[in-house]
Each structure stands twice: as structure tokens, then as C-alpha cells.
């Protein structure tokens, strides 16, 4: 499985960004796909997850109401629309995929089997 992210950038606080992640090499029909982020020296933080089959979504409390995850099933691409960005959103954002359901992923502590190379999001104050 290959996951290629794009869309990371430098943006001012209050601004918006949209991250994209294209998945390829999939051998399963259903999967959970989402995002986690990491700041150097800190533990990774699960951000959002969506399951392909039922579209069920999960969000970290820190991003609820500001971030929206969506999926284009035909393009096998997941998007993360981020609004009202804050300096504390600054991190490397990783796209991640697991051949299960978001319920399983979140219960396991936002554990995915596959991840991309990451894209940097920097929010200036």
C-alpha cells in the first residue's frame, strides 16, 4: 500500500488548508483511512478517520468543528479540510490506512497498518 500526501504549507492562524492523500496498491475492498500528526519530541496524535464502506468519521476533540475528512472512493483519495487553524495545529501530518474500520483503529489508539511520508503544516501566530 502506498499513501502519498500533499497540501501541507505555511499558513497564518485563522487560515485554511486542504490536505490530500492518494492511496494505491490496495488489496482490500474496505478500509479505514485517516490522518495523524506528530510534533518532534511528542507522541503522535490521531486527528481524523473515515471508513470507506459506511463513511463513519471520527475526530480528535482538539479538531472537532474545525477539520472535515472526506473520501473520493473512485479516486481512492482522502481529504482533510482544515479551517480556523491554530499555531498548535503545527505538525507533520501523516496519512494512514488500516484494512479494518475506524471503530477498530480508534479503539486501538489510532493505530493504522500503513502510513505515508508526511506533509508539514505550519501555522504562524
Amino acid at each position: 500500500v502506498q499513501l502519498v500526501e500533499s497540501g501541507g504549507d505555511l499558513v497564518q492562524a485563522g487560515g485554511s488548508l486542504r490536505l490530500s492523500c492518494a492511496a494505491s496498491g490496495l488489496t482490500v475492498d474496505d478500509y479505514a483511512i485517516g490522518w495523524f500528526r506528530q510534533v518532534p519530541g511528542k507522541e503522535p496524535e490521531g486527528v481524523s478517520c473515515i471508513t470507506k464502506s459506511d463513511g463513519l468519521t471520527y475526530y480528535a476533540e482538539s479538531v472537532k468543528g474545525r477539520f472535515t475528512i472526506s473520501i473520493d472512493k473512485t479516486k481512492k483519495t482522502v481529504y482533510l479540510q482544515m479551517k480556523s487553524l491554530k499555531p498548535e495545529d503545527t505538525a507533520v501530518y501523516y496519512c494512514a490506512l488500516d484494512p479494518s474500520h475506524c471503530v477498530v483503529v480508534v479503539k486501538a489508539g489510532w493505530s493504522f497498518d500503513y502510513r505515508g511520508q508526511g506533509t508539514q503544516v505550519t501555522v504562524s501566530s
Side-chain angles (χ1 to χ4, degrees):
V1 174
Q2 293 81 45
L3 302 168
V4 179
E5 305 101 330
S6 61
D9 206 344
L10 169 64
V11 63
Q12 286 191 328
S16 299
L17 275 179
R18 189 177 83 154
L19 305 183
S20 301
C21 172
S24 61
L26 294 167
T27 58
V28 294
D29 190 51
D30 197 21
Y31 50 85
I33 188 166
W35 300 85
F36 69 91
R37 63 190 181 186
Q38 189 165 20
V39 175
K42 291 190 175 181
E43 290 294 313
E45 177 189 14
V47 174
S48 186
C49 184
I50 186 168
T51 303
K52 180 201 168 190
S53 58
D54 59 16
L56 192 66
T57 58
Y58 283 81
Y59 295 94
E61 285 297 322
S62 58
V63 307
K64 273 183 183 177
R66 300 187 298 120
F67 291 11
T68 303
I69 192 169
S70 60
I71 187 170
D72 184 328
K73 296 178 184 180
T74 56
K75 293 182 180 178
K76 297 180 182 178
T77 299
V78 66
Y79 304 96
L80 187 68
Q81 180 66 52
M82 306 185 292
K83 298 181 179 179
S84 302
L85 283 161
K86 305 174 181 179
E88 50 264 43
D89 294 318
T90 296
V92 177
Y93 283 70
Y94 295 90
C95 178
L97 183 144
D98 195 82
S100 65
H101 193 284
C102 287
V103 172
V104 176
V105 167
V106 174
K107 224 175 187 180
W110 293 87
S111 176
F112 296 90
D113 275 1
Y114 305 96
R115 75 174 202 184
Q117 81 284 356
T119 186
Q120 177 70 47
V121 172
T122 304
V123 184
S124 63
S125 56

